[in-house]
Amino acid sequence: MKYGAIFPQYEVSSDVDNIRTFMIEVEAMGYDFVLAYDHVLGANPERDTEWKGPYTYETQFHEIFSLFSYASAITTQLEFATGIVILPQRQTALVAKQAAQIDLFSGGRMRLGIGVGWNQVELEGMGEDFSTRGRRSAEQVEVLKLLWQNELVTFEGEFHHLDDVGINPLPIQRPIPVWFGGGADAVLKRMAKLGDGWMPGGMGFDRAKPRLEKLHRFLEEEGRDPANFGIDPFIPLYRIDESEHLDYVHQWQALGATHASILTMHGGNTTVSQHLSALENFIKKVK
């Protein structure tokens, strides 16, 4: 199993030294990858609508591709996972280009986790239609893989028109692995057809087990072996007693987890040092 450290985007200051310290230290601890959340626009919860959500305009998010571009330059082994990038609010060719650059800069250490997003205000603020985000994201993944594997691409779809064009340079991984977040049936079917893995996030076992059963069935219907499909859940340390950390990981392993992303946020940590201490205590138990 590969272990990742979730970058505590909104629980530390924006000082670049915090980013540098975090990346260097988790690599030295033996973590395999860093995962980071994605949001571009935050909304005002007091706006004249019934909008609500877990993040607002006061919640800090470093831009995810810029973050990993910087991190790739100061590390040598860490892989980088977007968990998740909200794909349908972004231009597909630009995502292909940005992810390819990080993959190139890092020597092939990029994994693109994608999702459709929940924040209608954010998506519409970026010029996209919230109601078509599912169909759009499926087509985007097709286009991304074509752009990562071919010098020239011609594609005609519902949302994309590419006429003999390509990105240059291409990534090292051809294609870059694409993992899906979310758990709705439509998303599970989409990832079974197009994805390389599932990111169930902080979903508990009671919710994850029936979805995994459906996912395995959908994979088999696509002629794919579920054993070759990655699973990367969050391990939310704040919800689990320290004595139960290993048991929690083993339960996920029994369900087929190949990766585990360690979440130190929401546990009262307010400095990089505190987050790193929690991550070090955990990794010592499993490696």
Side-chain angles (χ1 to χ4, degrees):
M1 175 176 273
K2 289 188 174 183
Y3 292 95
I6 296 178
F7 179 63
Q9 286 261 40
Y10 45 82
E11 289 192 357
V12 296
S13 79
S14 60
D15 190 329
V16 70
D17 286 342
N18 284 332
I19 301 173
R20 180 180 180 84
T21 298
F22 185 87
M23 299 297 174
I24 291 174
E25 289 295 323
V26 297
E27 183 172 58
M29 289 176 198
Y31 276 91
D32 300 293
F33 64 94
V34 168
L35 179 145
Y37 301 175
D38 171 52
H39 278 289
V40 177
L41 295 174
N44 183 356
E46 298 179 2
R47 62 204 316 272
D48 293 333
T49 66
E50 295 183 356
W51 182 92
K52 61 181 179 179
Y55 309 118
T56 73
Y57 73 100
E58 295 181 308
T59 310
Q60 171 182 278
F61 284 96
H62 291 284
E63 198 284 316
I64 203 162
F65 291 115
S66 302
L67 174 69
F68 283 156
S69 183
Y70 172 74
S72 71
I74 59 173
T75 58
T76 59
Q77 301 295 323
L78 277 179
E79 298 171 4
F80 304 107
T82 59
I84 55 176
V85 67
I86 305 165
L87 188 58
Q89 70 183 17
R90 295 174 180 259
Q91 294 173 305
T92 311
L94 184 57
V95 171
K97 186 80 170 179
Q98 291 170 315
Q101 286 293 147
I102 295 170
D103 196 60
L104 185 66
F105 291 158
S106 67
R109 293 184 274 146
M110 180 68 187
R111 174 161 54 109
L112 188 72
I114 64 107
V116 297
W118 55 268
N119 189 346
Q120 183 170 349
V121 171
E122 178 180 21
L123 198 139
E124 291 177 349
M126 295 183 70
E128 298 298 341
D129 183 351
F130 187 77
S131 66
T132 63
R133 68 195 191 284
R135 298 199 318 274
R136 175 171 159 78
S137 70
E139 189 172 293
Q140 285 180 288
V141 174
E142 293 183 61
V143 173
L144 287 171
K145 292 188 175 186
L146 288 171
L147 288 169
W148 288 331
Q149 295 179 91
N150 301 278
E151 291 183 352
L152 290 170
V153 174
T154 296
F155 181 91
E156 190 68 46
E158 181 182 359
F159 303 99
H160 299 82
H161 170 75
L162 286 81
D163 186 6
D164 214 21
V165 296
I167 61 170
N168 189 356
L170 294 172
I172 291 175
Q173 300 179 96
R174 301 183 188 177
I176 294 169
V178 177
W179 291 45
F180 283 67
D185 284 2
V187 176
L188 296 174
K189 289 180 180 179
R190 203 175 295 139
M191 72 178 76
K193 180 179 180 180
L194 300 168
D196 299 291
W198 181 36
M199 293 176 162
M203 193 178 295
F205 298 118
D206 56 336
R207 294 179 59 210
K209 286 180 181 178
R211 286 166 173 79
L212 276 168
E213 291 173 0
K214 288 182 179 180
L215 175 58
H216 288 175
R217 186 170 74 251
F218 295 149
L219 285 165
E220 289 166 355
E221 289 173 358
E222 293 289 338
R224 305 181 65 184
D225 185 352
N228 296 328
F229 198 80
I231 308 292
D232 182 2
F234 289 178
I235 308 298
L237 300 188
Y238 72 98
R239 287 206 318 242
I240 312 165
D241 188 88
E242 190 170 348
S243 63
E244 298 175 348
H245 286 175
L246 283 179
D247 182 61
Y248 196 87
V249 171
H250 292 156
Q251 289 183 69
W252 268 112
Q253 284 181 307
L255 291 177
T258 55
H259 297 59
S261 296
I262 313 309
L263 178 64
T264 58
M265 290 189 284
H266 313 297
N269 300 315
T270 58
T271 66
V272 166
S273 295
Q274 289 173 328
H275 283 284
L276 289 171
S277 178
L279 288 166
E280 186 172 27
N281 288 339
F282 176 87
I283 203 68
K284 284 180 177 178
K285 298 173 188 174
V286 296
K287 282 204 170 186

